[in-house]
Structures are given as C-alpha cells and as structure tokens.
C-alpha cells in the first residue's frame, strides 16, 4: 500500500523538475552553445534542438501533473531520463569541457553530480510507471518527496549559490582559504600561481576587485572565485583550473551575475598546446 503511494507521488516531483528544466532551455537558448549539442547535431542546429528538448520536457511535465493519469506519460518520462543520462555520459567523454545545459545558465563542466541527478530522475520515473493512481491520492507517500527533492537540490550545481556558496562563505569567515589545501592535496597557493600566469587571468585582470574569495574542488577541476566589476555592477569571476593539466592555457574563466547566475562574459583564450 505504502509503496503504491510512493509511486503515485513521483509524477508530481518529476513534473515540477521537468517544468523547471524546460524553462531554462526555452528562455535561455544561448546556453546551447556551451553544451555538447554543437558537436552532436552541428552548430546551426544546436539552439533549435535545445529548444525542442525544452518543449518536450514541458509537454511531458504538464501531462504528468494534470489528470487523467496515463501510463504512457510515465514511460515517456523514463525514456526522457534515460536519454538525458546517455547524453551526459556521451558529453563527458567526448566534450569534457561542455556544460550540462540541463536547466540553463550554469557553465560548469559536466560532472558526476549531473549524471547522478539524471540517474535519480530515471529511478523516480521508473517508480512512477508502476503507479495505479494519481499523485493527488499519494497520501503519506508524498512525504518521500521531501528527501528526494533535497537530493535533487544537492545534485544541482545550478542551485549551489542558494545553499552551498553561503556555507562556503561561512567557512571563509572562520578560516582563511590560504590556510588549507584541497581534497587532492594541491595547495591553493599553487593554484593561484597557475592562475596568475594564465591568459584567462590576464583577460579579466582589470575587472577583479578582490583576492581569492572562495574555492572548491569538483572532480577534476578546482574552481576559484573573485569579486569583480563588470558593466558597472558587482559580479563574480569564476576560474576553472584543471587538476591534471598544468598548462596556463587550460585555465578558463566566466564572469557571472551574482543574483541571476547568468554568465555575462566568457573570454576566449588560446587553446592549450599539444
């Protein structure tokens, strides 16, 4: 009985997630160029394909949220989630510097969190396919959506600025960033030295208004942030420094609006040699 209630509740969560995802793709189509879609479907077809995925997501989401409940809706969600997972794995292997593009503006390269989120969506969709009643009849099974939603939040890099970054800033108030090292043992001062020698740093040096404000490791990358000023407003400059490529040209930078998370400036730097 409870298992059926849990299954019945899943379309509500999936529908809301897909609506959020579709909004980012339909409204912020410029994000398509940062994904692996140009490599997969071609430069000219990347933006239309990105928008089309958003439309499909919105249709499936509305079908899941609105009565009557048809099993085909859940199976469509299963197919969509499986497609997401396969695409992210493909993109991470073939275009490792590409962003997920899952919900819009994040420029971070695809990591295990994005793939984990797609797998979690797949698992919830498979569970939803076993439901025999609508989500409005889930009863106590809806309580399971709370930890599930929390898991989606923790796996969504796009939401880090709402919970993870405040926690990191709190840590910075307690201990200076240069006093520690990252999880793989590379001192922050070594990362800073690489930054100062990189074309990416020179491209935005005139915009920076602080020393290192924050840093964190995410798989094969270290991200370092500075306070900056761009077009008359306060912004954040985020550098991506790969752990396993020591060439200065491998460093990337994006200037991001602190409020919306939108990338305002992403200079093109020379490719690493060899």
């Amino acid at each position: 009985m409870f298992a059926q209630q849990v299954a019945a509740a899943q379309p509500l969560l999936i529908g809301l997630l897909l609506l959020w995802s579709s909004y980012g793709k339909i409204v912020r189509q410029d994000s398509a160029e940062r994904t692996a879609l140009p490599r997969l479907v071609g430069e000219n077809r990347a933006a239309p394909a990105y928008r089309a995925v958003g439309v499909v997501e919105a249709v499936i989401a509305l079908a899941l949220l609105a009565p009557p409940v048809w099993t085909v809706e859940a199976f469509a969600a299963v197919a969509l989630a499986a497609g997401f997972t396969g695409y992210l794995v493909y993109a991470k292997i073939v275009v490792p510097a590409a962003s997920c593009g899952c919900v819009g503006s994040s420029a971070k390269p695809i990591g295990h969190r994005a793939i984990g989120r797609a797998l979690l969506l797949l698992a919830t969709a498979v569970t939803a396919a076993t439901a025999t009643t609508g989500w409005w009849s889930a009863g106590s099974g809806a309580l399971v959506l709370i930890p599930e939603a929390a898991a989606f939040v923790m796996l969504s890099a796009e939401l880090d600025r709402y919970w993870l970054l405040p926690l990191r800033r709190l840590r910075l108030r307690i201990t200076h960033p240069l006093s520690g090292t990252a999880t793989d043992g590379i001192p922050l001062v070594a990362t800073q030295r690489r930054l100062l020698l990189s074309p990416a740093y020179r491209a935005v040096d005139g915009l920076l208004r602080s020393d290192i404000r924050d840093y964190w490791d995410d798989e094969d990358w270290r991200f370092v942030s500075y306070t900056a000023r761009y077009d008359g407003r306060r912004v954040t400059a985020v550098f991506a420094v790969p752990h396993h490529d020591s060439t200065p040209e491998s460093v990337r930078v994006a200037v991001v609006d602190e409020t919306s998370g939108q990338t305002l400036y992403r200079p093109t730097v020379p490719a690493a040699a060899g």
Side-chain angles (χ1 to χ4, degrees):
M1 178 64 177
F2 183 69
Q4 268 300 310
Q5 290 178 326
V6 170
Q10 301 308 307
L12 175 60
L13 178 62
I14 298 170
L16 294 175
L17 287 170
L18 290 181
L19 279 180
W20 173 46
S21 179
S22 66
Y23 175 82
K25 292 181 177 66
I26 294 172
V27 174
R28 295 176 175 170
Q29 297 173 33
D30 58 326
S31 298
E33 65 188 31
R34 298 196 295 268
T35 71
L37 284 175
R39 173 72 175 270
L40 186 62
V41 301
E43 295 282 349
N44 295 332
R45 291 187 290 271
Y50 192 65
R51 182 172 59 250
V53 172
V55 171
V56 171
E57 288 177 332
V59 170
I60 294 176
L62 294 174
L64 286 168
L65 293 173
V69 176
W70 297 321
T71 305
V72 68
E73 300 164 0
F75 280 107
V78 170
L80 187 65
F84 282 159
T85 304
Y87 164 75
L88 292 177
V89 172
Y90 161 84
K92 184 171 178 59
I93 295 172
V94 179
V95 194
S99 66
C100 173
C102 301
V103 292
S105 62
S106 177
K108 290 182 65 175
I110 295 170
H112 293 155
R113 290 170 69 193
I115 296 174
R117 180 175 59 184
L119 288 171
L120 182 56
L121 179 63
L122 177 59
T124 57
V126 169
T127 303
T130 67
T132 56
T133 60
W135 57 263
W136 52 88
S137 304
S140 59
L143 295 175
V144 177
L145 299 185
I146 297 175
E148 288 182 345
F152 275 108
V153 168
M154 289 187 289
L155 290 171
S156 299
E158 300 84 359
L159 298 178
D160 283 353
R161 66 182 182 273
Y162 297 113
W163 68 278
L164 188 56
L165 289 182
L167 289 178
R168 286 173 175 153
R169 287 166 184 162
L170 177 62
R171 182 198 65 191
L172 288 177
R173 295 190 186 102
I174 300 172
T175 177
H176 193 280
L178 287 174
S179 65
T181 59
T183 54
D184 66 352
I186 300 176
L188 182 59
V189 67
T191 302
Q192 186 179 36
R193 188 179 303 116
R194 289 178 57 193
L195 275 179
L196 295 175
L197 295 173
S198 69
Y201 185 89
R202 292 194 295 271
V204 299
D205 185 21
L207 307 177
L208 302 183
R209 297 294 183 270
S210 75
D211 200 344
I212 293 176
R213 190 177 76 181
D214 195 6
Y215 77 95
W216 62 96
D217 286 346
D218 192 345
E219 299 174 21
D220 296 332
W221 297 79
R222 173 169 293 175
F223 296 90
V224 181
S225 71
Y226 291 74
T227 297
R229 197 82 179 168
Y230 181 77
D231 198 21
R233 55 176 159 172
R234 179 186 172 94
V235 295
T236 299
V238 181
F239 291 87
V241 185
H243 288 312
H244 306 300
D245 186 345
S246 60
T247 59
E249 294 79 12
S250 65
V251 178
R252 294 292 180 263
V253 64
V255 175
V256 180
D257 183 89
E258 291 190 344
T259 302
S260 67
Q262 181 181 5
T263 299
L264 303 174
Y265 176 51
R266 196 176 185 185
T268 301
V269 298

